[in-house]
Structures are given as C-alpha cells and as structure tokens.
C-alpha cells in the first residue's frame, strides 16, 4: 500500500457529523480527506426521520432547551456541551439552510412539533425524512468542494507519527495532522449479538470507538444504549423501522391489549420504552402474527392534514404493506437504536488524545445516558462544525 497524499484533516465517517466536519474544515482553509466505511451515502444519519431541535418558538429559549436535555439525561449530561448544543442550535439550522436544506414551514415560520421529553414545540422537520435531506445537502457540499473522498475505505488502524497521525483506511495509508472520528455507534452489532431488531445501518459496528480507545482516548457511558420506543413490529417489512416519534407529537398514543393508555406518550425515550417493556411483561401486550411482542400505536388519532405534511414517508411505507395508519392501529415495540455514550470530548470536540476529535454518535457526554429525539442531527451539525474548524486550526 502506497501512502496517499498528506492531508491537514482526515475525517472518518460520512454521516451528518462527518460531512459537517469535512465541510467546516474545508471552509476553514484545510486540505481535507474523508474516508467512509462503505459508500458516502451509507450512514445512520440518512435514516433519521423525526427532525432536529432548535429553540425558535416565542415561548422557547436555548436555556429551556438545555434544561430539557439535562432532565432527559437524568442529570448525567455534560452541562458545558449541552449549553453549546442548545445555544448554537438556531445558527446550525441557518447553516444547514445555507447548504440547501429546506425545512417544512407554515404561517411564515418553521413548522414546529413537540417531541418526547420536550416542554416546548421546537422540532423542525423536512417531512419525515429530515436526516435524508440533511445528509444529501451536506454530501452535495462535499462533492462541490476540494475535499478528497475515499469510499469503501474503513478505518482499521490509527497510529501517531511525528507530524500527526497515520491512518489505514481500506487500501489507503493516509497521513494527517489531525483526525476527526465521526464513525457512529455500534447498535447494529449489538442487536445481532442480542438477537434483537435495530433501526441501525449494517455499518454501525463500533470498531472505530475501540481503535480510539486503543490509542488512549477516554470514553464514558458506553453501556448506555438506547431503545427507540416505536420500532415497527408488523408487517415483516416494517420490522426494525423507526416509526417517527412525531406520530406521537401529532396525537398518536400508546395503547395496551385492552386499548387503554398506559404511559405518557410524550415522555423521554427511556421512560416510554420501559413502560412498553413493563406492559408486555405484565401480560397486557399483544402479539404480531409471527409471535413477536408489541403494543398498539393509535395513529388514527393523527389529523390527516398533519400526517400528509409531516409523515408522508411513513404513510407510503405502511400503505405499501397493506396497512393504512390513519385508518387502523399499528403494532410497535422498542428496537435498539442509539449509543448514548462514547469518546470523551471537550468544547471543541477534541478527545482526550491531542489531535483526535470526535463528533456525532461516537462522542459521549452531550446526551448523558439518555438522548432526547431530535438532538442527534443537531449534535452532528453543531459539534461536526466545531470539530472541523478546530481540527483545521490545529493543523495550520
């Protein structure tokens, strides 16, 4: 293997955080390389449907957003990171708009929904394919820049050299002054090992986290994996699909076998997932046709006008499977979804190893041990931008 040309910044990962970091580093004047495990399009971020949080409501503020994050984390998040996340959220939205993301609007402003764990309406959406819209716009920005990409080049080794780091990515040896790790979490592998369903892309297997730990990076909360409360349970084509939590934002509620509500359907993710597990264990759940546990999601409560604007993709998918969510209850059960913990980072996304940065799901602290919905795409954007800028400045 011949060494590739040297870069100022190497970004590992092509999800929202890696793309944001690469664009940010490039705009900061760095020569940037971006290595992806598979194609540039392959990532969990593109599958994110619900939306992205930012305090735009007249009754809202970054401080209130931060308090909601803190409470949803059960007071385990890093307050410094939370305050950066929420204070920079409105600016991150405008930055995404500048690269081409068009958020759903109504009445002259953003269409905002209240999501689980939130005390205000602050969830912005692009229909129910927000992650797809964000990653496509950022990928277009990467492809229009001087950033050199290395698809199908998974990181397999990272070692310090005199002038930075040497990375082995697929068939390439890449030297860079600084490295941004944005390779996501490990929930696909965990689900396979547990015999469970997952929302995750097959590339989410966690090797890069371990590579970073092996070169000395500290981690936190790696045991705190999150279940998405509303995984699709039936029909088979929907198993593992993450039913957008905006279904509950627009009126759907969870019901047991007796068609009774048993929890606050807009509670934090871990609380709602636990309530479903407990209801099924108590014998008040239902079974899918293939014998899987489930409860009902009362989607017919959603006004058709809201569903057509904010849930079109979900409607298409279920109707293709012979189920109309606006006419009948759908079956749901929690599925493995997100790695809450990860590498310890500072305010600039730098890990505890100098010159190695981390952003997105591979980084820990911003969400503590439980993440609110709508904050993953936000974290990817806010800390991806910070990581790229800081990595470029250190490489200069």
């Amino acid at each position: 293997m011949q060494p590739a040309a040297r870069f100022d910044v190497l970004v590992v990962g092509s999800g929202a955080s890696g793309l944001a970091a690469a664009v940010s580093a490039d705009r900061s004047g760095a020569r940037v390389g971006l290595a992806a495990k598979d194609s540039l399009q392959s990532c969990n971020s593109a599958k994110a449907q619900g939306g992205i949080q930012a305090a735009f409501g007249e009754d809202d503020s970054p401080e209130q957003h931060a308090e909601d994050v803190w409470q949803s984390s059960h007071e385990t998040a890093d307050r410094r990171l939370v305050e950066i996340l929420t204070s920079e959220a409105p600016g991150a939205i405008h930055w995404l708009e500048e690269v081409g993301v068009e958020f759903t609007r109504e009445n002259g402003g953003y269409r905002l929904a209240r999501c689980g764990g939130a005390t205000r309406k602050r969830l912005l959406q692009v229909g129910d394919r927000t992650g797809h819209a964000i990653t496509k716009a950022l990928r277009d920005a990467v492809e229009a820049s001087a950033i050199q990409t290395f698809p199908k080049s998974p990181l397999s080794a990272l070692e310090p050299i005199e002038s930075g780091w040497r990375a082995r990515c697929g068939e390439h040896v890449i030297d860079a002054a600084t490295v941004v790790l944005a390779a996501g979490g490990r929930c696909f592998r965990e689900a396979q090992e547990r015999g469970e369903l997952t929302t995750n892309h097959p590339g989410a297997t966690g090797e890069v986290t371990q590579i970073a730990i092996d070169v000395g990076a500290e981690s936190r909360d790696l045991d705190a994996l999150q279940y998405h409360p509303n995984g699709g349970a039936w029909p088979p084509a929907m198993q593992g699909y993450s039913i957008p939590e905006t279904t509950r934002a627009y009126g759907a509620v969870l019901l047991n076998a007796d068609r009774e509500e048993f929890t606050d359907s807009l509670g934090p993710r871990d609380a709602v997932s636990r309530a479903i597990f407990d209801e099924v264990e108590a014998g008040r759940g239902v079974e899918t046709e293939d014998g899987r546990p489930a409860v009902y999601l009362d989607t017919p409560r959603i006004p058709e006008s809201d569903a057509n604007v904010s849930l079109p993709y979900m409607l298409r998918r279920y109707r293709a499977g012979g189920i109309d969510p606006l006419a009948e209850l759908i079956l749901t059960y929690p599925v493995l979804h997100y790695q809450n913990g990860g590498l310890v980072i500072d305010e600039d996304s730098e890990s505890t190893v100098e010159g190695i940065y981390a952003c997105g799901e591979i980084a820990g602290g911003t969400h503590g041990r439980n993440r609110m919905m709508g904050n993953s795409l936000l974290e990817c954007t806010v800390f991806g931008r910070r990581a790229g800028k800081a990595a470029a400045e250190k490489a200069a």
Side-chain angles (χ1 to χ4, degrees), residues 214-258:
D214 289 344
V215 296
E218 295 178 14
S219 63
R220 54 166 289 172
D221 303 320
L222 279 176
D223 62 313
L225 299 180
Q226 181 177 81
Y227 284 85
H228 189 296
N230 286 153
W234 190 259
M238 303 305 292
Q239 290 175 342
Y241 169 71
S242 56
I243 300 167
E245 290 186 72
T246 40
T247 52
R248 291 181 275 128
Y250 290 114
V253 296
L254 292 159
L255 304 175
N256 61 21
D258 297 321

Side-chain angles (χ1 to χ4, degrees), residues 1 79 97-99 110 114 140 155 174 191 251 254 257 288 325 343 361 369-370 373 387 396:
M1 289 188 290
R79 287 301 292 254
E97 289 176 318
E98 289 170 13
V99 297
Y110 298 114
R114 181 178 157 231
D140 287 347
L155 179 71
I174 301 172
L254 292 159
T288 63
L343 303 178
E361 192 174 352
R369 296 183 63 81
N370 182 60
M373 77 157 293

Side-chain angles (χ1 to χ4, degrees), residues 55-395:
F56 282 106
E58 291 183 3
D59 63 344
D60 202 3
S61 67
E63 292 75 21
Q64 186 59 51
H65 186 180
E67 183 60 24
D68 288 351
V69 175
W70 178 244
Q71 294 300 328
S72 291
S73 78
H74 308 295
E75 302 183 357
T76 61
D78 183 325
R79 287 301 292 254
R80 300 169 306 154
L81 302 182
V82 172
E83 287 166 6
I84 290 170
L85 180 79
T86 62
S87 65
E88 295 188 5
I93 296 299
H94 295 318
W95 186 77
L96 289 171
E97 289 176 318
E98 289 170 13
V99 297
V101 181
E102 297 181 4
F103 293 99
T104 306
R105 289 176 168 268
E106 65 178 6
N107 302 323
Y110 298 114
R111 180 179 174 86
L112 301 174
R114 181 178 157 231
C115 58
T119 57
R120 303 288 190 275
K121 289 184 176 183
R122 71 169 70 93
L123 189 75
L124 290 82
Q125 306 135 77
V126 183
D128 54 353
R129 300 198 74 189
T130 310
H132 172 78
I134 288 173
T135 52
K136 183 180 185 305
L138 288 171
R139 198 163 52 247
D140 287 347
V142 166
E143 291 171 352
S145 73
I147 297 165
Q148 187 172 343
T149 60
F150 299 87
K152 299 186 182 301
S153 300
L155 179 71
S156 60
L158 189 63
E159 59 183 359
I161 57 177
E162 184 176 345
S163 54
W165 295 89
R166 173 161 290 171
R168 294 185 180 273
C169 300
E171 296 300 312
H172 307 281
V173 176
I174 301 172
D175 292 350
T178 56
V179 177
V180 178
L181 301 179
R186 70 184 196 279
C187 283
F188 186 87
R189 174 171 58 82
E190 285 281 349
Q192 281 194 315
E193 292 173 356
R194 299 180 185 193
E196 298 180 5
L197 296 173
T198 179
T199 61
N200 275 210
H201 188 278
T205 47
E207 299 92 344
V208 175
T209 301
Q210 189 58 53
I211 289 171
I213 290 171
D214 289 344
V215 296
E218 295 178 14
S219 63
R220 54 166 289 172
D221 303 320
L222 279 176
D223 62 313
L225 299 180
Q226 181 177 81
Y227 284 85
H228 189 296
N230 286 153
W234 190 259
M238 303 305 292
Q239 290 175 342
Y241 169 71
S242 56
I243 300 167
E245 290 186 72
T246 40
T247 52
R248 291 181 275 128
Y250 290 114
V253 296
L254 292 159
L255 304 175
N256 61 21
D258 297 321
R259 312 292 175 98
E260 299 169 336
E261 287 190 54
F262 57 89
T263 189
D264 173 9
S265 293
L266 282 177
R269 276 183 167 169
D270 59 340
V272 177
S273 294
R274 174 44 55 195
I276 295 171
F277 288 138
D278 290 347
E279 199 73 4
V280 168
E281 288 171 10
R284 294 186 292 271
V286 295
E287 274 195 1
T288 63
E289 291 184 29
D290 61 352
R292 292 179 181 272
V295 295
Y296 293 117
L297 184 63
D298 190 355
T299 46
R301 295 194 189 200
I302 303 170
E304 187 171 358
S305 57
D306 286 331
N308 288 338
V309 172
S310 292
L311 298 164
Y313 182 63
M314 185 203 78
L315 294 179
R316 286 199 303 274
R317 286 201 57 170
Y318 269 96
R319 286 168 176 167
I323 293 173
D324 184 354
L326 299 185
E328 57 189 301
L329 307 181
I330 60 178
L331 297 176
T332 185
Y333 195 72
V335 287
L336 203 57
H337 184 60
Y338 193 84
Q339 174 182 296
N340 288 310
L343 303 178
V344 173
I345 59 170
D346 65 12
E347 292 92 331
D348 288 324
S349 285
E350 191 168 21
S351 75
T352 55
V353 176
E354 186 176 3
I356 294 181
Y357 298 77
C359 52
E361 192 174 352
I362 198 172
T366 309
H367 312 297
R369 296 183 63 81
N370 182 60
R371 177 175 69 78
M372 292 179 72
M373 77 157 293
N375 277 345
S376 59
L377 291 172
L378 178 61
E379 180 200 21
C380 287
T381 307
V382 168
F383 286 98
R385 290 175 69 194
R386 281 184 160 251
K389 183 173 185 290
E393 289 174 350
K394 177 158 284 192

